[in-house]
Structure formats: C-alpha cells, structure tokens
Amino acid sequence: MHRILALSGSLRRHSFNTRLLRAAAALAPSDMTFEFFEGLADVPLYSEDIDTDPALPAVARLRAAVAGADGLVIATPEYNHTVPGVLKNAVDWLSRPHGRGALAGKGIVVWVVTLGRMNGLRCLGDARALLNGLGNLVVPEPEVVVASAPSALTTGPDGTVSLADEVTADLVRAQLRVLAEVLDAGAPQALWSAVQRQRGHIERARFLPYVRQGLRDGAAPEVLAERLHSAGHAPETVRVWMAEAQAEAAAGRAG
C-alpha cells in the first residue's frame, strides 16, 4: 500500500486545488491511500535564524508528514505566472537540512487548478523543475491543468467533490497509476540513493570554490566555516575543505 501525502498550494478555505485533491482520492488505485496535510498556514516564512534543532512544531509536523509518505500529490494555483509563495516556502523548509531534507527521493504528481483557461502551464513547469531539483522523481505526463475550475469541479449534496470533465478524470487516473508503478519499482528512492552515493563529490565541487574565493577575498576562516556549518555541512567535511583551500593558497603564494 502506497502512502500518499496530498498537499495544496492554496490556503483558501474553499480552494479549488484542495477540492481537486479531495476528488482525486476517489480516482486513485486501490493500493494508494491519501492523507491530507492542512497545516501550511502555520509554517512561518523560512529563515535560518528560526531553522533550529529541534524544529518549530509546525515545521516538524510538515517534515514528519512528508518524510513518512511514499509519494506526494500536489495541487497548486498559478500566482503571477509561477508557484505561489506558500508552496515555495514549504519546499524551502523541506529542503533543509542541506542534503538531508524530507523532500527528497519521493515520487510526485503535480496538478494546477485555475479559474481561467489560459494559465497553469507556467506554474506546472516551475513546480516540476523545483521538485526535480531536490532529487525527486516528478511524473512527467500526462500533464494535468484543470481550467475553468468552477465548472470543472462539482460538489454533491453530501459534500462529495467530483471532476465533471471525464477526460480530466481519466488523465488523473492515468497519472496516479503511473505514480503507483514508479513507486512499485522503487525508482524515486533509487534515484536519490544514486545521488547520495555521489554526495561527497557533488558537495566538494559546489562548495570548495566558495571557500577558495572567500579566502582570496580576505574572509576569516572561522566565518567561512560557520557559514558552511549553518548550511548543514559536517564539521569534519568543512575542516577538510578549509585545509585544502588554505594549502592551495599557501602554495600559490610560495610559487
């Protein structure tokens, strides 16, 4: 059984994106269970100053919910041609600690729900790039953008939400079946594990030039080390990078 976390990028009480998530639960394969996270409004704007250990309660709840899920289904509106701030803020919290965030190695489906007929694809592309860049596997097709939301989503007398457009409903069913197969194959975690095996090389390539440049610019080694520690790098790793960069700098001066 695949445990799927449903996450809405809209905080509005009667959000069409939240309604789509409710409707989609009935379209999911039998081996998939939906759990809904409803605490994004409590998550503060990201700042390293409040990214503490232990984490703030609202942040801890979000991270635990994502870490405990096999995959995510995200429905989001498009704000100003891209991802809304509330969703981006959640992703920022979930990407930390650096290289060890909860939002990695997950299979993810992204939908966009809009009021009009012309928007959605820009947000969809940005959301996919954002999530793929953190080491997840985002289902690439079919693309699902639900336009004209007021007529596309209907609510029955008992409060049950359904997709009025059968074509869109079929695409949602297909995409969730793809997600189930991807999870069955263990593909998201295999991708993340492969990245993790190269983690040391990746981090050295990304951050050693920062140390070199900082030393050339006259930054104090302890300042550079503190900045790397706050980004989540282990003290021993930072010591190695600092020693290598300082040895290179000394050799350059001697030469």
Side-chain angles (χ1 to χ4, degrees), residues 28-136:
S30 59
D31 61 348
M32 190 175 280
T33 62
F34 270 52
E35 298 179 13
F36 296 87
F37 186 83
E38 299 176 343
L40 284 190
D42 300 323
V43 178
L45 292 176
Y46 182 81
S47 168
E48 285 188 3
D49 292 339
I50 58 173
D51 189 1
T52 56
D53 186 14
L56 298 172
V59 173
R61 286 194 297 272
L62 175 62
R63 287 174 171 170
V66 172
D70 300 312
L72 277 73
V73 174
I74 298 173
T76 177
E78 178 175 289
Y79 286 178
N80 297 316
H81 302 170
T82 189
V83 177
V86 63
L87 181 58
K88 178 59 167 59
N89 185 57
V91 171
D92 289 344
W93 279 107
L94 291 166
S95 70
R96 293 301 186 100
H98 180 77
R100 295 179 286 113
L103 188 55
K106 304 294 182 182
I108 302 178
V109 160
V110 181
W111 301 322
V112 179
V113 183
T114 71
L115 293 175
R117 299 190 63 82
M118 302 302 293
N119 296 327
L121 287 175
R122 289 165 295 196
C123 174
L124 184 62
D126 287 353
R128 285 177 169 178
L130 175 65
L131 296 164
N132 274 324
L134 294 177
N136 301 289

Side-chain angles (χ1 to χ4, degrees), residues 153-178:
L153 291 162
T154 61
T155 303
D158 62 350
T160 300
V161 181
S162 60
L163 271 167
D165 181 1
E166 190 56 36
V167 172
T168 302
D170 280 344
L171 291 175
V172 167
R173 290 188 189 96
Q175 199 171 39
L176 292 176
R177 288 196 294 267
V178 171

